[in-house]
Amino acid sequence: MLNRDNGYWWDSTEQTAMVIFGLTDYLAGSQELNADFVADVRVNGASLGDRHFTPADALAGATLDVAVPAATLAAHNTIDIARTGNGRAYWTAQGTYFSAEHKLYQQGSLTLNLTRDYFLLTPAKDKNGNIVYNLESTQRRGADRRCPRRPHRH
């Protein structure tokens, strides 16, 4: 279901419902939501946080977020996620970096330039008789077509 954001979808709400029914049956059979474990996150061998997860956490979307202090990092680092108990632990990792060095963000000009292109949608028919729209540049039609003015009403 998560692939719907990447361009994959089903043709109808009936197909979506069938997928949900299938996932519901899978979750009931696999007992995947019956979590009873402790997750421990370690970076370079040092524990940065742990949490006990229960079945209620699975439906609530509970997470264990940890921040890694920069002082604990080396040139090469390891992340270990240990689970003790029963259930499945799903995890993701994200890295962000911020620098306060002026040379990294105060270089060159701080100007911002914006440009716009205007197009006119012109209807046409394809080889099957379907109506399609072509983009026609307004520059080819003349500057007076770019921003038409409406007459003022008095």
Side-chain angles (χ1 to χ4, degrees):
M1 287 186 58
L2 296 177
N3 270 334
R4 292 185 70 161
D5 292 339
N6 296 325
Y8 303 103
W9 61 86
W10 294 281
D11 291 326
S12 68
T13 54
E14 180 183 12
Q15 287 179 342
T16 303
M18 295 306 293
V19 170
I20 291 173
F21 289 147
L23 287 173
T24 302
D25 291 343
Y26 167 77
L27 291 174
S30 68
Q31 300 296 313
E32 192 165 322
L33 299 179
N34 290 337
D36 184 19
F37 64 88
V38 174
D40 182 24
V41 178
R42 299 181 195 117
V43 175
N44 297 330
S47 179
L48 294 181
D50 62 6
R51 178 181 177 148
H52 181 253
F53 288 90
T54 66
D57 293 326
L59 296 176
T63 62
L64 167 61
D65 297 327
V66 297
V68 181
T72 64
L73 297 177
H76 299 283
N77 302 283
T78 60
I79 300 172
D80 295 309
I81 302 169
R83 177 187 53 86
T84 306
N86 297 317
R88 293 196 183 185
Y90 293 95
W91 60 272
T92 61
Q94 175 182 347
T96 52
Y97 173 77
F98 299 97
S99 176
E101 294 182 58
H102 290 288
K103 69 178 185 174
L104 294 179
Y105 66 88
Q106 289 185 345
Q107 290 183 355
S109 171
L110 295 177
T111 61
L112 176 65
N113 295 315
L114 300 176
T115 60
R116 282 187 236 190
D117 292 322
Y118 294 92
F119 293 92
L120 181 65
L121 291 174
T122 55
K125 290 192 177 186
D126 66 6
K127 63 182 177 183
N128 296 325
N130 298 317
I131 296 176
V132 296
Y133 291 92
N134 298 316
L135 292 176
E136 183 180 337
S137 174
T138 56
Q139 292 177 352
R140 285 188 275 151
R141 298 182 63 105
D144 59 329
R145 295 293 306 247
R146 284 190 210 161
C147 299
R149 294 184 180 185
R150 294 185 178 163
H152 293 288
R153 295 185 183 206
H154 298 285

